[in-house]
Each structure stands twice: as structure tokens, then as C-alpha cells.
Amino acid sequence: MARSNDELEQFAYVVTHDLKESLSAINSFVQLLKKYCDHQLDDRADELILHVITGISRMQMLTDDLLTYTQVNANQTFTEVDCERLLGNVLTDLSIIVSECNAIITHDRLSVARGTPFQFIQLLTNLINDALKFQRAQPSKIHIGVKESFCEWILSVTDNGIGIGEQYLERIFRVSQRLHSRREYAGTGIGLAICKKVVEYHGGRIWIQSEPNVGSAAYFTIPKFN
Ligand SMILES: Nc1ncnc2c1ncn2[C@@H]1O[C@H](COP(=O)(O)OP(=O)(O)O)[C@@H](O)[C@H]1O
Ligand SMILES: [Mg+2]
């Protein structure tokens, strides 16, 4: 079972990787087409080219997320991660969208945990991005909290956003499960699946508590003795 899972994961990785390369080539050609045909085509043709470009950029987002997803279990070495510093970097990277969303982000002081820094960055970035994206009240208030038990850290990302109905709280962790159309909220529906895989790779659990029209809180645990 474990072996066939590994093989499936390897297969998904190779296919996604090849798809990404082909997409990149198609993208270069269509960009050239756009450049060389500038002002030579009618409006309808220009519009069609733009649709192709939008489609490609969406497929690039998808292949990027799928690559990340299939790579989580690929031999990544654990080190001591200063999560307070790592969160600081994540918040700096998100600072433009935080101010565009008119959001106020506060956080407890995080500790040092054992894990893979790159995956912790993806985990926190995904959860904070969702808290920013599914906003409701202005200003959006987001808090990153931490509690501690004997054997684990329990981290949380809490928002005052649109919330999630109880019946969806499990389903949203599956690949491609989204509750809204792309027109309402952009995204691939892979973010929470990546978060779940990352947390489980570190030996923890992840879950969301939420109330529609009040807000959501995503919790995850990281064992202290990894
Ligand atoms: N903080 C949140 N508030 C409200 N809904 C959320 C939140 N986080 C996730 N969701 C719901 O879960 C779905 C899956 O999330 P995710 O896997 O990150 O995909 P994406 O962000 O690409 O839509 C989202 O489309 C949304 O419907
Ligand atoms: Mg997301």
C-alpha cells in the first residue's frame, strides 16, 4: 500500500512537472503571438488571445500547487525552526496584500519547533492567505495564536471572515474542494490539502472551527519531540 502510494505520488510529480514545462512553452508562444500581432488583429481575436493567457496562468497556478502537494513527502530534513522569525518573514512577504485587504494581524510569540522551514512557510502562508481572502467585516482581524501542551504546540489562525458551514469542515481539506466559484474568490482549492499533508508529515493534526458570518479558526499541532 505504502509502495503503491509512493509510486502514484512519483507518477503525479513527473506528469505535473512535464505539464508545467509544456505550459511554459505554450505561454512563451502565445506571448510572442500577442506581441507580433499587436494592432493587426480585430478585437475578437485580441480577446481570444487574452482568454488563452488567462487560462494558461490559471493552469500554471494549478501545476505549481500540485507540484507542492506531491513534493511534501519527498525526503525533507527536519531542522530547528525559529517559528517567530519565520512568521515575521511570512508577514513581510504578505504585507502588500495585508494592507490592500485593510487587515490587522496580531500574533502570540511563537517558539522553536522541529520541522522543514519551507513547509512551515507554505502552511502559514496558505492559512493567512485564506483568512485574508475570505474576509467579511472591515477591518479584517487575524490572529495567529499558540498554546502548549506537554507534548505539542497548538497553533491557530483565527479570522473574522465569512465563515464555513459545519457540513463543509472536513471536505475542504480534499484536493480541489472549494465552496465558491473562481469568479467570487480566486484559488485552486489545493491550499488546505497542502496544509493537511504538511501537518501530517510533521506528525500533527489540523482542523477548522467556524461559524458562518462570524469567522473561522484553523488549528494545527506540531509535536515537540520530532
Ligand atoms: N478562512 C476561511 N474562511 C472561509 N472559508 C475558508 C477559509 N479557508 C478556507 N475556506 C474554504 O475552504 C475552501 C478550500 O480552501 P483552499 O484549499 O485553501 O482553496 P482556495 O483558497 O484555493 O479556494 C475555500 O475555497 C473556502 O471555500
Ligand atoms: Mg487557500
Side-chain angles (χ1 to χ4, degrees):
M1 177 77 174
R3 215 186 115 209
S4 67
N5 254 348
D6 280 356
E7 277 170 10
L8 202 60
E9 206 146 80
Q10 184 63 18
F11 172 75
Y13 173 73
V14 172
V15 171
T16 315
H17 195 268
D18 288 356
L19 268 177
K20 191 177 155 79
E21 274 183 6
S22 311
L23 264 177
S24 164
I26 298 173
N27 192 37
S28 314
F29 288 128
V30 77
Q31 296 288 354
L32 278 177
L33 181 70
K34 184 168 176 285
K35 189 168 155 199
Y36 288 131
C37 298
D38 204 19
H39 301 307
Q40 293 178 41
L41 300 172
D42 61 16
D43 287 353
R44 180 72 186 136
D46 281 340
E47 196 185 314
L48 289 174
I49 291 179
L50 281 184
H51 281 311
V52 174
I53 291 175
T54 317
I56 291 172
S57 88
R58 181 170 153 65
M59 282 174 80
Q60 282 176 325
M61 260 169 42
L62 260 175
T63 49
D64 283 348
D65 280 359
L66 279 172
L67 268 186
T68 306
Y69 182 78
T70 56
Q71 278 297 82
V72 171
N73 293 343
N75 268 337
Q76 320 239 13
T77 27
F78 281 23
T79 54
E80 301 279 309
V81 187
D82 179 345
C83 295
E84 176 74 9
R85 221 172 95 194
L86 184 136
L87 175 64
N89 292 339
V90 167
L91 292 177
T92 307
D93 286 347
L94 290 175
S95 57
I96 293 177
I97 113 159
V98 170
S99 65
E100 274 173 7
C101 290
N102 193 23
I104 299 166
I105 303 194
T106 52
H107 65 90
D108 295 347
R109 187 172 174 80
L110 304 191
S111 338
V112 173
R114 273 188 74 73
T116 55
F118 177 64
Q119 294 192 354
F120 281 170
I121 293 175
Q122 284 177 325
L123 176 61
L124 286 169
T125 306
N126 273 322
L127 295 178
I128 297 170
N129 255 326
D130 280 344
L132 289 165
K133 176 160 59 172
F134 299 102
Q135 65 177 185
R136 177 184 53 89
Q138 282 284 339
S140 319
K141 288 190 184 150
I142 299 170
H143 183 74
I144 297 113
V146 63
K147 288 206 165 74
E148 160 174 27
S149 77
F150 170 67
C151 56
E152 62 189 9
W153 306 105
I154 305 152
L155 285 96
S156 56
V157 178
T158 309
D159 66 51
N160 59 345
I162 61 172
I164 305 164
E166 203 189 336
Q167 68 271 40
Y168 303 117
L169 289 177
E170 302 256 325
R171 192 197 294 179
I172 51 177
F173 285 99
R174 288 188 224 138
V175 171
S176 283
Q177 290 289 329
R178 314 191 65 232
L179 308 179
H180 309 273
S181 72
R182 260 185 285 133
R183 199 162 298 166
E184 289 172 283
Y185 297 97
T188 60
I190 304 178
L192 284 179
I194 294 175
C195 292
K196 183 170 157 68
K197 219 170 160 193
V198 164
V199 170
E200 288 176 356
Y201 184 67
H202 287 81
R205 297 158 284 127
I206 183 167
W207 69 98
I208 291 183
Q209 287 177 354
S210 185
E211 201 178 318
N213 292 316
V214 177
S216 309
Y219 294 91
F220 62 93
T221 63
I222 301 287
K224 283 185 182 169
F225 311 108
N226 258 333

